Amino acid sequence: ARGPENVSAIYLTGTSARAGRVDKYLEFSRAQGLTGIVFDIKDVYGFVNYRSALSEVKVTQGKTQPPLGELAPLVAYYKEKKFYTIARVALFQDELQATKFPDRQIKLQSGGPLKTKGRTVWVDPNKKAVQDYNLAIIREVLQSGVDEIQLDYVRYPAEGDWKIAEYHGLKDFDEKPRVI
């Protein structure tokens, strides 16, 4: 499948992209000649901005209600307004998943989790549970009818004590590109 050759889009956080608030951004975008909308599905904190049926997502979100609600009707609304829809999913920078599932954190050789600016914000890209969690979200989002999914933070951390981190099953740092 191929999208349009040229897409110029506005980027919106989950709270900005929600129904009832998005119209002013869509009007602005149309006035600027923009043809698409990029909106956060899973942000860098790991918050999933739509109502997911996945049990692991419910664990990470707690009782916080996602601002986008049901995703398919929102995507249909964007398309009705003639916008190309791009759902942004941040993969491995995911503070909520790292907090709720400590076994998915990147660990230091000396023990304990890798911290960035004093917080545990990364999950280990090498762990199958991390990969499966992200793939399940992507599969669910695809069912909403979005035109495209933008994968972000598809990398290992570059802050904190990453040089003394241990990654699950990684023997040599040259293996990182294969994992990603």
Side-chain angles (χ1 to χ4, degrees):
R2 289 185 55 152
E5 281 194 32
N6 295 305
V7 176
S8 52
I10 188 170
Y11 163 73
L12 298 175
T13 64
T15 54
S16 298
R18 70 180 183 233
R21 191 164 201 202
V22 73
D23 287 324
K24 67 180 176 182
Y25 298 113
L26 295 180
E27 289 171 20
F28 170 81
S29 298
R30 182 77 64 221
Q32 299 301 313
L34 303 179
T35 58
I37 178 171
V38 178
F39 54 102
D40 267 338
I41 287 297
K42 180 173 163 260
D43 60 30
V44 295
Y45 301 107
F47 191 77
V48 175
N49 287 294
Y50 69 96
R51 191 169 296 122
S52 173
L54 301 170
S55 61
E56 286 183 308
V57 169
K58 291 175 182 175
V59 170
T60 62
Q61 310 310 297
K63 295 184 186 219
T64 306
Q65 291 300 309
L68 299 180
E70 295 295 330
L71 193 53
L74 186 64
V75 170
Y77 181 74
Y78 296 155
K79 288 183 172 195
E80 177 185 303
K81 299 286 186 179
K82 306 290 187 226
F83 280 91
Y84 186 78
T85 56
I86 304 168
R88 176 182 177 258
V89 179
L91 294 182
F92 304 123
Q93 184 172 344
D94 187 335
E95 186 171 357
L96 289 173
Q97 188 181 176
T99 302
K100 297 291 184 174
F101 300 100
D103 59 313
R104 299 179 187 181
Q105 298 170 348
I106 297 171
K107 303 295 184 188
L108 297 178
Q109 294 167 359
S110 58
L114 170 72
K115 293 194 180 272
T116 303
K117 298 179 184 171
R119 297 181 10 228
T120 305
V121 299
W122 288 89
V123 289
D124 191 335
N126 297 57
K127 295 225 171 173
K128 185 171 180 352
V130 171
Q131 296 168 5
D132 289 347
Y133 178 76
N134 285 314
L135 287 171
I137 291 170
I138 290 165
R139 285 185 190 104
E140 198 172 55
V141 171
L142 283 171
Q143 293 176 14
S144 74
V146 296
D147 295 306
E148 186 174 316
I149 294 180
Q150 174 196 343
L151 302 179
D152 206 351
Y153 288 86
V154 188
R155 64 179 179 85
Y156 289 82
E159 297 178 294
D161 291 330
W162 62 270
K163 290 181 181 176
I164 58 168
E166 285 187 343
Y167 300 96
H168 178 74
L170 191 71
K171 306 280 186 261
D172 184 334
F173 280 148
D174 292 338
E175 294 178 47
K176 284 180 169 182
R178 177 191 53 78
V179 172
I180 296 300

